[in-house]
Amino acid sequence: MTVYQAPRGTSDILPEEQAYRLYIEQKAADIARLYGYKRIDTPVFEDTELFLRGVGEATDIVQKEVYTFEDRGGNKLTLRPEGTAPVCRAYLEHGMQNLSQPVKLFYIEANYRYERPQAGRYREFRQFGYEAIGDSDPALDAEVIDMAWRFFVSMGINNLHLIINSIGCPNCRPQYLEKLKAYYTQGSQTLCNDCKTRLEKNPLRLLDCKNETCRLLASTAPRSYEHLCPECAEHYVNLKKFLSVLGLPYEVDHCLVRGLDYYTRTVFEIQPEIEGAQSTIGGGGRYDGLIEELGGKPTPALGFATGIERIAANLKRQNLPVPGLPGAVVLVAYLGEAAREAAVKLCGELRKSGCAALQASGGKSLKAQLRQANSAGVRYTVIIGDDEIKAGTVQLREMTTSEQKNVTPQELKEILLGK
RNA sequence: GUGGGUAUAGUGCAGCGGUCUAACACGCCAGGUUGUGGCCCUGGAAAACGAGGGUUCAAAUCCCUCUACCCACCCCA
């Protein structure tokens, strides 16, 4: 029995799991490059204030899910629960408003949220995201959505749905919310208890309650995209136009709202076809007010983020293979003390010239050493014994064919390094 | 914060009151070839049955408490 275990909601990423992670991160970076997004890394922790202002004080994330602590200098810090606010902070801190706009960034990072873990939900989880800051062009919205979609398509994940909606801006949303409240107040006796509090606290959230009767109410509720101001309406029409131009199979869902306060206008989600929880694999939207909220001048922006663990889960569910990680190409086996020295030396030389070499672990029979070679999956095994030392050669065995020949050190290097 | 489920070797599991000195599979180690892997055969190491308490002549098996993990709600990636 182990004494210690990884803290709740966290897990070790074991070697066999790394192939998934690396594959996903590599693809994320490939797509970023394809669209001209440059990588940024921000600190794991930030001033607590950044998330209060950025994510929204009223959100669940900030209210009950944040890991907050004070350091020895008395600074109030918070483990980053999401990626957008820190990127915007960096944008402002480094004067990126002086770069040519929009500034296109992407990140791959761990996030921390204190929640009850369950399938696809962890306290430490990894996401990657794309952010485009400094441009309100709906074509840019379409571009970010296109990136997200292309990523999933290139991963081979199928049966995905792209859901979009527009939730307006500070000009038109208040009026819409009034209408929504009025509508729900009429039907409030059939609302579930959660929704009764939502009605006061966060009426937009009424729309995505999973309760059956609430859903029924939501289906005929006033629709945000029918209550947009002229600017937002035009933006939304153009967004749909560009999505069509790009050939993206979007579905409009007036019930799609997102949990972070900063979203304006475009919101979107990508959902796999599974029943039950954690239906969202990725999502994002526009956050035209966030930079200003953080102390910059009014700056339109939008982004997309997705969870690496959830992507991996989908890959596994579909039995999609990921490319394996390359291992060592040769194992050096030896028999006897004199050969041991030669083996150590040879391994050193091979590695120095860039050939991934494994040294057989000591004191074992040749049989055991070959077993080791087999399980390591090396292509070749070099065998050194007294006979070889005397002759100044080594045995080179090719594992798949079991062909074995005596070669000189020179020939060995040509085979392992040449070609 | 609320509800449900599960806890037995490294992993996956069997066992459902005495026959448990806890089985099986994979994995690990070794032997079958005094210098040759993968298949096969043989053997071995590895579990005080999550922790504590109780019932009983007898508990891995029944009861209670705790803890951990999983799943769901909330919310989200």
Side-chain angles (χ1 to χ4, degrees), chain A residues 10-306:
Chain A
T10 70
S11 57
D12 302 311
I13 306 174
L14 299 175
E16 56 266 34
E17 191 65 24
Q18 294 290 346
Y20 283 93
R21 184 186 171 183
L22 255 55
Y23 177 57
I24 292 165
E25 294 185 358
Q26 187 57 52
K27 265 289 193 315
D30 288 348
I31 299 286
R33 189 188 46 79
L34 208 53
Y35 289 76
Y37 287 62
K38 306 253 175 74
R39 175 142 184 181
I40 182 169
D41 286 278
T42 65
V44 214
F45 51 83
E46 297 267 2
D47 277 350
T48 297
E49 184 69 18
L50 173 69
F51 298 115
L52 290 183
R53 297 190 72 84
V55 179
E57 227 157 323
T59 57
D60 276 19
I61 292 182
V62 164
Q63 287 217 322
K64 46 187 205 191
E65 296 175 5
V66 119
Y67 280 91
T68 292
F69 62 98
E70 204 169 284
D71 71 9
R72 288 165 192 275
N75 305 297
K76 292 205 167 83
L77 301 170
T78 290
L79 255 37
R80 145 187 88 197
E82 60 96 49
T84 299
V87 168
C88 290
R89 193 224 79 227
Y91 173 90
L92 288 169
E93 182 172 341
H94 298 100
M96 294 191 215
Q97 59 273 50
N98 296 315
L99 302 174
S100 137
Q101 307 290 302
V103 174
K104 298 177 171 184
L105 300 168
F106 86 101
Y107 59 83
I108 303 173
E109 67 189 21
N111 292 146
Y112 302 85
R113 312 231 272 240
Y114 185 85
E115 296 184 89
R116 291 286 291 266
Q118 65 191 65
R121 207 177 70 186
Y122 310 98
R123 290 184 173 180
E124 178 184 62
F125 62 100
R126 272 147 271 271
Q127 325 192 105
F128 74 83
Y130 305 124
E131 311 282 354
I133 306 173
D135 192 348
S136 63
D137 189 344
L140 189 62
D141 300 42
E143 175 181 287
V144 169
I145 295 172
D146 186 51
M147 286 177 83
W149 190 256
R150 187 175 306 283
F151 169 80
F152 290 113
V153 167
S154 77
M155 294 300 285
I157 297 176
N158 50 34
N159 296 322
L160 290 174
H161 293 270
L162 168 60
I163 321 286
I164 65 160
N165 190 18
S166 178
I167 56 172
C169 69
N171 289 329
C172 50
R173 190 152 38 181
Q175 289 94 301
Y176 167 67
L177 288 182
E178 283 314 310
K179 277 209 166 148
L180 196 63
K181 271 190 190 171
Y183 168 83
Y184 270 102
T185 306
Q186 277 184 341
S188 64
Q189 54 274 52
T190 63
L191 283 177
C192 70
N193 285 332
D194 284 331
C195 280
K196 281 175 184 156
T197 61
R198 286 189 185 111
L199 185 54
E200 296 309 316
K201 224 178 72 186
N202 193 352
L204 262 190
R205 290 233 136 261
L206 287 162
L207 292 168
D208 72 347
C209 182
K210 283 172 194 124
N211 183 293
E212 222 172 287
T213 56
C214 297
R215 289 179 73 158
L216 209 63
L217 264 180
S219 64
T220 55
R223 305 182 166 204
S224 57
Y225 58 75
E226 287 168 354
H227 297 79
L228 299 173
C229 61
E231 293 77 23
C232 286
E234 194 196 342
H235 185 95
Y236 184 51
V237 165
N238 280 314
L239 166 65
K240 289 193 288 186
K241 182 183 79 186
F242 289 124
L243 289 177
S244 298
V245 166
L246 288 166
L248 293 172
Y250 67 89
E251 301 158 35
V252 172
D253 181 356
H254 74 280
C255 291
L256 173 65
V257 297
R258 301 206 19 102
L260 288 79
D261 277 0
Y262 51 62
Y263 285 114
T264 55
R265 293 188 170 173
T266 309
V267 291
F268 66 96
E269 279 187 6
I270 291 172
Q271 303 174 352
E273 229 165 35
I274 37 164
E275 65 286 354
Q278 273 70 53
S279 51
T280 301
I281 192 173
R286 204 161 249 295
Y287 46 92
D288 289 343
L290 180 54
I291 299 273
E292 189 180 4
E293 179 68 34
L294 296 179
K297 17 174 234 197
T299 308
L302 88 151
F304 157 79
T306 178

